[in-house]
Amino acid sequence: MSYRDLREFLEVLEKENQLIRVKDEVMPEPDLSAIGRSAPDMENGPAVIVEKVKGYKNSVALNVHGSWQNHALMLGLPKDTPVKDQFFELDKKWSDYPIKPVWVENAPVKEVKITTDINLFDVLPLFRVNKYDGGFYISKALIVSKDPEDPDNFEKQNAGTYRIQVKGKDLVGIQPLPFHDIAVHLRKAEERNEPLPIAICLGNDPVLNFMSSTPIEYVQSEYDFAGALKGEPIELTKSEQGNLDIPARSEVILEGYIMPRERRIEGPFGEFPGSYSGARLQPEVKIHTITHRINPIFENLYLGMPWTEIDYLMALNTSLPLFRQLKRDFPEVVAVNAMYTHGIGVIISTKSRFGGYGKSVAMRLLSTPHGMPYSKIVIVVDEFVDPFNLEQVMWALTTRVRPDKDVVLIPNAPGMPLDPSSEPAGMHTKLIIDATTPVAPDKARDTELLDVPDKVDYWMNYLRNTMRKEGDK
Amino acid sequence: MICPRCDSKNVDLLTKAPVDDAWEVYICETCCFSWRSTESDDIKDPEKYDKRFKIDSSKISSLDKIPPIPELIKKKD
Ligand SMILES: [Zn+2]
């Protein structure tokens, strides 16, 4: 890859015309939030560097992952690579797991070390992400913790993304949802009434943030996957305390520990389904050490009404594990698009082995670890339909669905509490739509698909070249 | 000063701006709400704070705990 960390990736984005620098001084509110909302709504979804924020020392990076162009560049692909091709490239790189990290001395993230008079506001230009958030949030952190029962096990160490609310100069709240790996670590620490050391890593190689929001297995290392995606090892170093493995080239590391058996109010916070999630009692983290690079960049993300940066970040890394789990039992499956609202909506493309096959594929999806609680609406299309192309999917819905036979409801099934339609919260009715062409013994009216005319390839090239020549004049 | 969200008087200065004395940030020790002195009135003013997001401080202790606190493991001798 042509970058090793956030700074080098920002250079790639700038060269590719995917980065805007705001040189005018802006207010923390409402400007940073408004910039984070605007950038992904632009046609090419550029990243934005805000160089000067009123009252703060350091710059802010927003929307680093917030477009398909930036996503392609993260994977080392040309920026106009179609989504489906990015999906297959990711699937290929995934097979290289694990590529083990290397540990380095003199890590850039240790250039500056703060252990007394800690004030997060001195280092980070903190701001309110959405208007009725309970405070200033760090929404794009990679958080490292170890299994207290097996602290030397590298694979059981976790690097995940959890929302962080700033509650003091050296105090933050964290949201470890019970089904996420850090909650396993916390439970074991709290059973012993011990603090859980964590490192909150900010401003990372974009591949690291991509992996930290990917639902991999408990005994798998996000760092080993990040190495596979890059085709080269990630550089790690040791934290000052707690013996954690942290990225050597992050911009800022906040080291601290979760205080055991304590909960205080956190939230509300605007979340990815486009609505606020309520206030709850959640753990708090005492920060004892900050290390950072000289002139650190604070990378954060805006999230809200889809699509925002987080939707791009969680799009293919939600789709890929589901695809691999389905493919194991149903080799006819071609691709899985689970990028709508973190997999609450899923479109599967598959060849049908026999009549009714599409429904079976959908039911398998609904019994995978992620699909069981999250996926509410599952659409199955033929193998020649691109599930990432909604125009083609609408074609399948309009020409292949017989509502009396192909639409199925499964009431009172597991749901996802952040889905505001789940009622009671955490339960919902599943909807399966089989939009595949019937195969035997199922019956359909005889239809023949239209072919493309001969010489289409020739004329597509001809027209493209002609347009390019006109553009050069 | 009063917390705009829960009307508690238990409010502290959290920090001042690192440069230029540009603003201050306050925090409510009752409901953990924080706000900046330069934000709009409908964030800072208890009268103008949106009623849908007001918090009744007497109900805070009964909110859900995420995640739940587990039983302590008894130490073996
Ligand atoms: Zn309050």
Side-chain angles (χ1 to χ4, degrees), chain A residues 34-46 63 66 305-308 312:
Chain A
I35 292 168
R37 168 75 265 182
S38 303
D41 291 342
M42 292 172 69
E43 202 166 326
N44 62 332
N63 206 48
M305 195 67 173
W307 273 48
T308 65
Y312 291 98

Side-chain angles (χ1 to χ4, degrees), chain A residues 162 175-184 215-216 218 272 342 369-370 373-374 415-418 426, chain B residues 66-68:
Chain A
Y162 312 98
Q175 182 176 57
L177 291 175
F179 42 84
H180 290 148
D181 288 348
I182 195 174
V184 176
I216 56 174
Y218 183 68
F272 67 85
H342 203 6
H370 185 85
Y374 275 77
M416 160 60 180
L418 283 181
Chain B
I66 294 183

Side-chain angles (χ1 to χ4, degrees), chain B residues 2-11 27-35 55 57 60:
Chain B
I2 292 177
C3 169
R5 185 165 78 165
C6 77
D7 302 318
S8 162
K9 292 191 179 97
N10 196 4
V11 167
I27 187 149
C28 169
E29 296 300 333
T30 303
C31 78
C32 295
F33 183 69
S34 61
W35 66 98
I55 283 183
S57 55
I60 292 175

Side-chain angles (χ1 to χ4, degrees), chain A residues 110-359:
Chain A
K110 304 278 190 180
E111 284 169 352
V112 180
K113 195 179 301 179
I114 307 168
T115 54
T116 53
D117 297 324
I118 285 178
N119 185 349
L120 297 171
F121 291 82
D122 285 342
V123 179
L124 306 173
L126 298 160
F127 61 98
R128 196 182 302 281
V129 177
N130 274 295
K131 188 160 185 172
Y132 296 109
D133 289 350
F136 307 135
Y137 271 81
I138 300 171
S139 52
K140 198 177 185 181
L142 175 153
I143 296 164
V144 183
S145 60
K146 287 195 160 186
D147 186 328
E149 284 178 356
D150 196 2
D152 297 328
N153 189 323
F154 179 77
E155 280 77 23
K156 285 188 186 170
Q157 179 172 248
N158 179 58
T161 299
Y162 312 98
R163 74 190 205 199
I164 299 278
Q165 180 183 356
V166 175
K167 293 173 160 185
K169 288 179 183 173
D170 61 351
L171 183 73
V172 301
I174 187 170
Q175 182 176 57
L177 291 175
F179 42 84
H180 290 148
D181 288 348
I182 195 174
V184 176
H185 295 175
L186 181 62
R187 177 175 53 75
K188 293 177 179 184
E190 291 195 315
E191 283 172 347
R192 290 163 178 73
N193 201 19
E194 287 169 3
L196 181 72
I198 68 168
I200 300 168
C201 312
L202 307 173
N204 306 303
D205 183 322
V207 161
L208 286 171
N209 287 95
F210 181 83
M211 280 316 306
S212 70
S213 53
T214 300
I216 56 174
E217 288 165 32
Y218 183 68
V219 190
Q220 283 183 329
S221 167
E222 287 82 3
Y223 294 133
D224 295 351
F225 268 110
L229 295 192
K230 299 202 78 163
E232 63 193 30
I234 293 291
E235 290 179 22
L236 298 180
T237 194
K238 285 290 178 185
S239 61
E240 297 293 301
Q241 294 186 34
N243 195 33
L244 298 165
D245 298 297
I246 55 174
R249 307 189 66 86
S250 296
E251 293 292 320
V252 180
I253 309 280
L254 314 177
E255 292 189 27
Y257 52 88
I258 302 183
M259 296 178 283
R261 309 186 72 79
E262 288 177 25
R263 303 287 186 270
R264 269 177 88 209
I265 182 169
E266 190 269 3
F269 183 63
E271 274 285 0
F272 67 85
S275 47
Y276 285 94
S277 75
R280 312 261 191 276
L281 301 175
Q282 294 182 182
E284 290 186 328
V285 183
K286 193 84 180 162
I287 307 296
H288 53 67
T289 306
I290 300 177
T291 62
H292 67 80
R293 298 176 76 153
I294 294 164
N295 297 324
I297 304 164
F298 176 45
E299 187 196 12
N300 214 23
L301 64 72
Y302 176 84
L303 69 170
M305 195 67 173
W307 273 48
T308 65
E309 180 180 0
I310 199 167
D311 297 290
Y312 291 98
L313 186 58
M314 302 190 303
L316 294 190
N317 67 9
T318 307
S319 304
L320 195 70
L322 288 172
F323 168 66
R324 293 204 150 217
Q325 286 156 19
L326 283 184
K327 187 93 180 156
R328 209 161 47 200
D329 302 330
F330 295 84
E332 292 84 358
V333 170
V334 174
V336 174
N337 172 356
M339 61 187 205
Y340 293 101
T341 325
H342 203 6
I344 294 177
V346 180
I347 304 158
I348 307 167
S349 160
T350 184
K351 193 170 166 43
S352 289
R353 205 187 303 168
F354 37 72
Y357 198 70
K359 284 197 189 90

